[in-house]
Amino acid sequence: MANVQVAVRVRPLNERETKEGGRIIVEVDDKVAKIRNLKVDDRPDSFGDSREKVVAFSFDYCYWSVNPEDPQYASQDVVFQDLGTEVLSGAARGYNICLFAYGQTGSGKTYTMLGTPASVGLTPRICESNCVAFLSFSFLEIYNERVRDLLKQSNQKKSYTLRVREHPEMGPYVEGLSQHVVTNYKQVIQLLEEGIANRITAATHVHEASSRSHAIFTIHYTQAILENNLPSEIASKINLVDLAGSEKADPSYCKDRITEGANINKSLVTLGIVISTLAQNSQVFSSCQSLKSTANTGGDSGILVSPGTSSRGGSSQRQSYIPYRDSVLTWLLKDSLGGNSKTIMVATVSPAHTSYSETMSTLRYASNAKNIINKPRVNEDANVKLIRELREEIERLKAMLLSFELRNFSSLNDEKDENLKELILRNELKVGGPSIISRSRFELPT
Ligand SMILES: Nc1ncnc2c1ncn2[C@@H]1O[C@H](COP(=O)(O)OP(=O)(O)OP(=O)(O)O)[C@@H](O)[C@H]1O
Ligand SMILES: [Mg+2]
């Protein structure tokens, strides 16, 4: 079990905000982000105003990227040292990982996830540090609820819409999405640049290079290892997601911008519902777990509780249905949200007073996401798992045989002893047998 890790990053005031006399209303103090409501007056005669002047939220990480001269300034490298390292170490241990950026349009999602040529972001940095492993990539965008491959060969001019399907064990996937094997960092960067160039961006009234689609860059990470002197593989999937920005509809926009905006908002609303339902379910689940442990440790309730119900809450505490399929984005991220994945969310915000309501809503959203509990599992190589289990069985049988011999060494029960010996021998043959170990993709052909 692992909670979704949540980071908040505050960007500098932009040109427009500075021109408008933007005042900084967000501050960061270690792992706490505070937001000030300038409309709430703190004069004594404002008695009766129930709104809070400063609201504080705590997170796993808070990054102050407002002013490079500030001692607590968080550069792209600082963010990578925390979040990128977390992604890499999880993938190296065999976990699936999802890192996604969420926030208002123009708040710094693309800057954080991809960066600029002068200031490289998380995705290229993660790829660069991954070079010891065997990697393949895919890069897609969800635009107007349709999936497009951002790395389809350039001679195929037609833009394809790909279908999302669901594998009973592997979960949702995109049928026909191209996979690209790379052997060095230069190839990764070429692919990334190609995909970014194919992605749909447009000028909006707030941001002249606004991402109009959600982009998912997936790294299939495979590393050859030796486990108990046996060749094995660690395989995991890293999803790096740059969401399109949430924004208010502007009636002066053309039809395309309005349709895009409506679709972006639809999937972000669904993402919000999925996140809050998962958070509620995780709370129900953990309160059931604690009730169970109270019951098991002799607590006075004495009532056993199953994960769908509680002794106190009754039906209101049931696990709620999660509407993953209501948007393509949430369907594709199903496994990353509440499934077999370690998940990190970066909430990006503007520090300006003009963005008060958007920043407040992002911080609330992010705070909610912190409550989601996932169930990440190590993706273990099936052959290695079998061998490990057989070895454990051999050790257990050997221990049984030893204690049996010690107990009966004066009057050995030959028949039982022979049976145990034969069982051990059969397991040892299976473990050592060459047919069990498939060739690793890293072994050279003989
Ligand atoms: N931490 C930061 N430091 C310096 N500049 C930043 C930072 N974050 C964002 N910016 C700049 O702010 C502008 C908007 O950022 P970005 O494109 O990342 O926004 P976005 O959240 O992806 O918006 P959209 O949702 O519209 O795609 C860009 O010019 C970017 O370079
Ligand atoms: Mg963007």
Side-chain angles (χ1 to χ4, degrees), residues 104-111 114 199 201 207 209-213 242-245:
Q104 173 198 2
T105 180
S107 58
K109 298 179 294 295
T110 303
Y111 182 86
L114 298 163
R199 191 174 171 196
T201 54
H207 183 194
S210 178
S211 321
R212 309 309 292 161
S213 66
D242 177 22
L243 296 178

mmCIF file of all heavy atoms in Angstrom, residues 104-111 114 199 201 207 209-213 242-245, ligand 2:
data_model
loop_
_atom_site.group_PDB
_atom_site.id
_atom_site.type_symbol
_atom_site.label_atom_id
_atom_site.label_comp_id
_atom_site.label_asym_id
_atom_site.label_seq_id
_atom_site.Cartn_x
_atom_site.Cartn_y
_atom_site.Cartn_z
ATOM 1 N N GLN A 104 -3.752 24.847 -13.487
ATOM 2 C CA GLN A 104 -4.393 25.827 -14.353
ATOM 3 C C GLN A 104 -3.545 26.055 -15.608
ATOM 4 O O GLN A 104 -2.323 25.852 -15.570
ATOM 5 C CB GLN A 104 -4.456 27.110 -13.516
ATOM 6 C CG GLN A 104 -4.917 28.335 -14.206
ATOM 7 C CD GLN A 104 -4.500 29.586 -13.407
ATOM 8 O OE1 GLN A 104 -3.847 29.503 -12.364
ATOM 9 N NE2 GLN A 104 -4.891 30.729 -13.910
ATOM 10 N N THR A 105 -4.177 26.499 -16.685
ATOM 11 C CA THR A 105 -3.418 26.790 -17.898
ATOM 12 C C THR A 105 -2.329 27.846 -17.615
ATOM 13 O O THR A 105 -2.545 28.783 -16.849
ATOM 14 C CB THR A 105 -4.366 27.247 -19.044
ATOM 15 O OG1 THR A 105 -3.568 27.507 -20.182
ATOM 16 C CG2 THR A 105 -5.171 28.483 -18.704
ATOM 17 N N GLY A 106 -1.146 27.610 -18.171
ATOM 18 C CA GLY A 106 -0.046 28.553 -18.002
ATOM 19 C C GLY A 106 0.642 28.484 -16.642
ATOM 20 O O GLY A 106 1.450 29.353 -16.298
ATOM 21 N N SER A 107 0.364 27.444 -15.847
ATOM 22 C CA SER A 107 0.925 27.421 -14.490
ATOM 23 C C SER A 107 2.271 26.689 -14.411
ATOM 24 O O SER A 107 2.915 26.682 -13.368
ATOM 25 C CB SER A 107 -0.069 26.777 -13.510
ATOM 26 O OG SER A 107 -0.380 25.473 -13.944
ATOM 27 N N GLY A 108 2.691 26.019 -15.527
ATOM 28 C CA GLY A 108 4.020 25.398 -15.517
ATOM 29 C C GLY A 108 4.039 23.884 -15.604
ATOM 30 O O GLY A 108 5.046 23.259 -15.252
ATOM 31 N N LYS A 109 2.974 23.268 -16.109
ATOM 32 C CA LYS A 109 2.953 21.794 -16.230
ATOM 33 C C LYS A 109 3.960 21.319 -17.263
ATOM 34 O O LYS A 109 4.798 20.457 -16.983
ATOM 35 C CB LYS A 109 1.545 21.300 -16.639
ATOM 36 C CG LYS A 109 0.460 21.615 -15.640
ATOM 37 C CD LYS A 109 -0.884 21.133 -16.098
ATOM 38 C CE LYS A 109 -1.412 21.852 -17.330
ATOM 39 N NZ LYS A 109 -1.695 23.287 -17.145
ATOM 40 N N THR A 110 3.867 21.921 -18.488
ATOM 41 C CA THR A 110 4.769 21.490 -19.554
ATOM 42 C C THR A 110 6.208 21.853 -19.188
ATOM 43 O O THR A 110 7.137 21.075 -19.430
ATOM 44 C CB THR A 110 4.340 22.140 -20.896
ATOM 45 O OG1 THR A 110 2.979 21.779 -21.127
ATOM 46 C CG2 THR A 110 5.185 21.659 -22.055
ATOM 47 N N TYR A 111 6.391 22.994 -18.551
ATOM 48 C CA TYR A 111 7.742 23.400 -18.125
ATOM 49 C C TYR A 111 8.318 22.360 -17.156
ATOM 50 O O TYR A 111 9.469 21.982 -17.245
ATOM 51 C CB TYR A 111 7.649 24.784 -17.456
ATOM 52 C CG TYR A 111 8.985 25.328 -17.018
ATOM 53 C CD1 TYR A 111 9.800 26.039 -17.889
ATOM 54 C CD2 TYR A 111 9.440 25.127 -15.706
ATOM 55 C CE1 TYR A 111 11.035 26.538 -17.488
ATOM 56 C CE2 TYR A 111 10.669 25.620 -15.291
ATOM 57 C CZ TYR A 111 11.455 26.325 -16.185
ATOM 58 O OH TYR A 111 12.679 26.796 -15.780
ATOM 59 N N LEU A 114 8.360 18.631 -19.292
ATOM 60 C CA LEU A 114 9.236 18.553 -20.466
ATOM 61 C C LEU A 114 10.327 19.613 -20.421
ATOM 62 O O LEU A 114 11.476 19.347 -20.785
ATOM 63 C CB LEU A 114 8.413 18.703 -21.758
ATOM 64 C CG LEU A 114 7.363 17.593 -21.952
ATOM 65 C CD1 LEU A 114 6.319 18.002 -22.977
ATOM 66 C CD2 LEU A 114 8.018 16.284 -22.373
ATOM 67 N N ARG A 199 2.484 17.553 -31.292
ATOM 68 C CA ARG A 199 1.411 17.758 -30.324
ATOM 69 C C ARG A 199 0.639 19.038 -30.641
ATOM 70 O O ARG A 199 1.210 20.001 -31.165
ATOM 71 C CB ARG A 199 2.040 17.864 -28.927
ATOM 72 C CG ARG A 199 1.028 17.810 -27.829
ATOM 73 C CD ARG A 199 1.700 17.773 -26.478
ATOM 74 N NE ARG A 199 0.719 17.923 -25.432
ATOM 75 C CZ ARG A 199 1.006 18.226 -24.200
ATOM 76 N NH1 ARG A 199 2.266 18.395 -23.837
ATOM 77 N NH2 ARG A 199 0.055 18.355 -23.295
ATOM 78 N N THR A 201 -0.861 22.433 -29.935
ATOM 79 C CA THR A 201 -0.831 23.567 -28.998
ATOM 80 C C THR A 201 -1.503 24.741 -29.715
ATOM 81 O O THR A 201 -1.606 24.751 -30.937
ATOM 82 C CB THR A 201 0.613 24.001 -28.636
ATOM 83 O OG1 THR A 201 1.312 24.249 -29.839
ATOM 84 C CG2 THR A 201 1.335 22.983 -27.807
ATOM 85 N N HIS A 207 -2.281 32.060 -22.453
ATOM 86 C CA HIS A 207 -1.013 31.390 -22.693
ATOM 87 C C HIS A 207 -0.836 31.183 -24.194
ATOM 88 O O HIS A 207 -1.659 30.517 -24.822
ATOM 89 C CB HIS A 207 -1.068 30.035 -21.950
ATOM 90 C CG HIS A 207 0.187 29.264 -22.029
ATOM 91 N ND1 HIS A 207 0.258 27.947 -21.682
ATOM 92 C CD2 HIS A 207 1.423 29.610 -22.433
ATOM 93 C CE1 HIS A 207 1.488 27.519 -21.862
ATOM 94 N NE2 HIS A 207 2.212 28.517 -22.323
ATOM 95 N N ALA A 209 1.298 29.447 -25.855
ATOM 96 C CA ALA A 209 1.663 28.091 -26.312
ATOM 97 C C ALA A 209 1.001 27.066 -25.403
ATOM 98 O O ALA A 209 1.652 26.252 -24.762
ATOM 99 C CB ALA A 209 3.169 27.925 -26.307
ATOM 100 N N SER A 210 -0.328 27.127 -25.363
ATOM 101 C CA SER A 210 -1.066 26.267 -24.439
ATOM 102 C C SER A 210 -1.213 24.854 -25.005
ATOM 103 O O SER A 210 -1.547 24.680 -26.179
ATOM 104 C CB SER A 210 -2.444 26.880 -24.211
ATOM 105 O OG SER A 210 -3.190 26.067 -23.361
ATOM 106 N N SER A 211 -0.951 23.851 -24.177
ATOM 107 C CA SER A 211 -1.137 22.458 -24.613
ATOM 108 C C SER A 211 -2.638 22.207 -24.666
ATOM 109 O O SER A 211 -3.330 22.369 -23.668
ATOM 110 C CB SER A 211 -0.523 21.495 -23.605
ATOM 111 O OG SER A 211 0.690 21.995 -23.105
ATOM 112 N N ARG A 212 -3.142 21.841 -25.821
ATOM 113 C CA ARG A 212 -4.578 21.605 -25.972
ATOM 114 C C ARG A 212 -4.926 20.128 -25.834
ATOM 115 O O ARG A 212 -6.044 19.710 -26.097
ATOM 116 C CB ARG A 212 -5.082 22.161 -27.316
ATOM 117 C CG ARG A 212 -4.694 23.580 -27.595
ATOM 118 C CD ARG A 212 -5.034 24.512 -26.453
ATOM 119 N NE ARG A 212 -6.459 24.678 -26.260
ATOM 120 C CZ ARG A 212 -7.013 25.129 -25.159
ATOM 121 N NH1 ARG A 212 -6.263 25.433 -24.121
ATOM 122 N NH2 ARG A 212 -8.314 25.273 -25.072
ATOM 123 N N SER A 213 -3.922 19.314 -25.539
ATOM 124 C CA SER A 213 -4.173 17.879 -25.406
ATOM 125 C C SER A 213 -3.452 17.378 -24.151
ATOM 126 O O SER A 213 -2.543 18.034 -23.649
ATOM 127 C CB SER A 213 -3.625 17.142 -26.621
ATOM 128 O OG SER A 213 -2.214 17.260 -26.646
ATOM 129 N N ASP A 242 1.635 14.954 -19.100
ATOM 130 C CA ASP A 242 1.501 16.411 -19.083
ATOM 131 C C ASP A 242 0.058 16.715 -19.474
ATOM 132 O O ASP A 242 -0.324 16.564 -20.641
ATOM 133 C CB ASP A 242 2.497 17.013 -20.099
ATOM 134 C CG ASP A 242 2.383 18.525 -20.191
ATOM 135 O OD1 ASP A 242 1.873 19.144 -19.232
ATOM 136 O OD2 ASP A 242 2.810 19.089 -21.218
ATOM 137 N N LEU A 243 -0.747 17.094 -18.496
ATOM 138 C CA LEU A 243 -2.167 17.323 -18.783
ATOM 139 C C LEU A 243 -2.361 18.661 -19.485
ATOM 140 O O LEU A 243 -1.550 19.584 -19.339
ATOM 141 C CB LEU A 243 -2.970 17.330 -17.484
ATOM 142 C CG LEU A 243 -3.012 16.025 -16.697
ATOM 143 C CD1 LEU A 243 -3.806 16.216 -15.407
ATOM 144 C CD2 LEU A 243 -3.640 14.916 -17.516
ATOM 145 N N ALA A 244 -3.470 18.753 -20.223
ATOM 146 C CA ALA A 244 -3.845 20.050 -20.786
ATOM 147 C C ALA A 244 -4.367 20.902 -19.632
ATOM 148 O O ALA A 244 -4.820 20.375 -18.618
ATOM 149 C CB ALA A 244 -4.924 19.850 -21.836
ATOM 150 N N GLY A 245 -4.286 22.217 -19.795
ATOM 151 C CA GLY A 245 -4.627 23.090 -18.666
ATOM 152 C C GLY A 245 -6.110 23.332 -18.515
ATOM 153 O O GLY A 245 -6.839 23.411 -19.493
HETATM 154 MG MG MG B 2 1.217 22.752 -21.277
#
